[in-house]
Amino acid sequence: MEFLNSILVKPFADMFDAPDFLIQVLWEGLVSGVLYALIALGFVLIYKSSRIFNFAQGIMVVFAALTLVGLHERGVPAWAALPLTLVVMYMLAWGIERVVLRPLVNQPDIILFMATIGITLFLIGFGEIIFGGENKTMITAELGIPTGSFLFEPFGGFVSIEQRDVTAVVGAVVLVAALLLFLNRSKMGRAIRALGDDHQAALSVGISLSTIWVLVWFIAGVIALATGIVWGSRAGVSFALEVIAYKALPVLMLGGLESVMGAIVGGLMIGVLEKLFEIYWGQPLLGGNTETWFAYVLALIVLLFRPQGLFGERIIERV
């Protein structure tokens, strides 16, 4: 009975006993969830347009952040380094389409997946040659991102909000809104959706496969740069940042591999729930460090009941 009380009653009582602390936990979970959602969006866009699971999305986050910092270290001002980094990410997208993807058109999915692993290893080696392997500091102040914090007092307590986190959330909302507007309203956005729905039908009406692939890989590169800037400002910029992308895997399993909305909702759910579980259940009962595995367990539970994810389309095969 005491054990049931400790896992069912006490955590919820603690939440309501200190509502200001609960708000702090929810905010930190929201910020993490936004970043998880951004990473997952890169996976979803590429998979929707090409049926390629892009294992290289994580290293693209690192490579974009390292390019930005590396250009600044070589004397390029931040206002110029940012657009130059976007140019580099476009060149990377063009090179991947021309050198890797185009020769592998119509190959089995596993071949394309292995190709993205090869891209990952290439970018790691290439990045270490150019930028070195040491940890670097993100040029947060030079980019105009505020680094202070402010306090407010809900329910008689104190909640601390980092200004860079507010900037990250607002920037992510703007980026996602622009992406949804592009996908739903623009001609190229509709072409991406058409290619994702039916490759052969899209090609038969004149949609260029190579153009769409370059575009979606570039958009994934833009998302990777935004994610790299935010994560880099929190934890520094190094190749260790790549492991953050693994958190996108349970987001994709939870939300569905083809759903933009699933990536957003799944990221927010995992960010908030893993933080709540860590604070109110993980630390008191399991000794902490539950954030490393909670998302995967949650995704596994969802897959047991809904294999296509919460927002994925049910696959019906007629025999």
Side-chain angles (χ1 to χ4, degrees):
M1 189 67 180
E2 183 178 348
F3 175 73
L4 291 177
N5 179 71
S6 65
I7 64 174
L8 296 178
V9 179
K10 188 176 184 303
F12 293 101
D14 292 340
M15 290 183 190
F16 292 106
D17 286 343
D20 54 320
F21 182 67
L22 175 61
I23 293 175
Q24 182 79 63
V25 173
L26 290 174
W27 169 252
E28 293 178 3
L30 175 66
V31 174
S32 296
V34 165
L35 298 178
Y36 295 158
L38 282 180
I39 299 174
L41 277 175
F43 285 95
V44 169
L45 284 174
I46 291 176
Y47 187 82
K48 279 179 68 69
S49 65
S50 60
R51 290 298 184 269
I52 298 173
F53 185 83
N54 179 25
F55 189 81
Q57 186 66 27
I59 194 61
M60 287 173 64
V61 172
V62 179
F63 190 80
L66 284 174
T67 301
L68 178 63
V69 176
L71 287 171
H72 188 262
E73 287 181 345
R74 287 163 173 79
V76 180
W79 61 266
L82 188 60
L84 283 176
T85 302
L86 292 176
V87 172
V88 170
M89 298 311 292
Y90 178 82
M91 293 172 60
L92 177 64
W94 181 86
I96 289 173
E97 189 280 328
R98 182 59 60 91
V99 178
V100 180
L101 301 182
R102 185 176 295 187
L104 296 178
V105 171
N106 295 325
Q107 293 298 315
D109 293 345
I110 187 62
I111 300 298
L112 294 169
F113 174 69
M114 294 301 294
T116 66
I117 295 179
I119 294 171
T120 300
L121 298 176
F122 170 76
L123 289 179
I124 290 174
F126 187 59
E128 287 181 343
I129 291 173
I130 297 178
F131 306 112
E134 68 277 3
N135 190 59
K136 300 179 184 296
T137 303
M138 177 53 65
I139 52 173
T140 307
E142 291 84 348
L143 292 172
I145 300 175
T147 56
S149 61
F150 56 87
L151 299 174
F152 68 99
E153 305 178 22
F155 306 105
F158 292 94
V159 175
S160 176
I161 302 294
E162 295 283 343
Q163 293 184 38
R164 67 185 178 191
D165 290 344
V166 176
T167 305
V169 171
V170 173
V173 170
V174 172
L175 182 61
V176 170
L179 178 61
L180 292 175
L181 190 63
F182 170 77
L183 290 175
N184 291 305
R185 298 297 179 88
S186 71
K187 182 178 179 180
M188 292 302 293
R190 288 192 291 269
I192 292 174
R193 293 166 54 203
L195 199 62
D197 292 337
D198 191 324
H199 267 79
Q200 295 301 323
L203 293 175
S204 68
V205 297
I207 294 176
S208 171
L209 182 63
S210 60
T211 300
I212 296 301
W213 278 6
V214 171
L215 178 61
V216 295
W217 278 78
F218 173 62
I219 294 174
V222 173
I223 293 172
L225 175 58
T227 309
I229 290 173
V230 177
W231 274 115
S233 67
R234 294 161 65 95
V237 181
S238 71
F239 286 94
L241 202 63
E242 182 189 1
V243 300
I244 296 172
Y246 296 146
K247 276 294 182 73
L249 301 181
V251 173
L252 295 170
M253 290 187 286
L254 185 65
L257 194 55
E258 300 183 24
S259 173
V260 172
M261 188 57 64
I264 297 169
V265 176
L268 295 177
M269 284 180 60
I270 285 180
V272 171
L273 291 177
E274 74 174 8
K275 187 65 69 175
L276 287 172
F277 188 85
E278 167 73 17
I279 298 300
Y280 293 102
W281 282 271
Q283 292 180 2
L285 300 177
L286 302 174
N289 203 32
T290 61
E291 288 183 85
T292 58
W293 53 262
F294 174 81
Y296 300 94
V297 173
L298 177 63
L300 177 60
I301 293 172
V302 171
L303 289 178
L304 291 175
F305 298 95
R306 190 172 174 83
Q308 70 275 16
L310 297 177
F311 291 84
E313 295 182 0
R314 188 181 297 276
I315 300 175
I316 301 175
E317 295 185 359
R318 301 189 183 277
V319 295

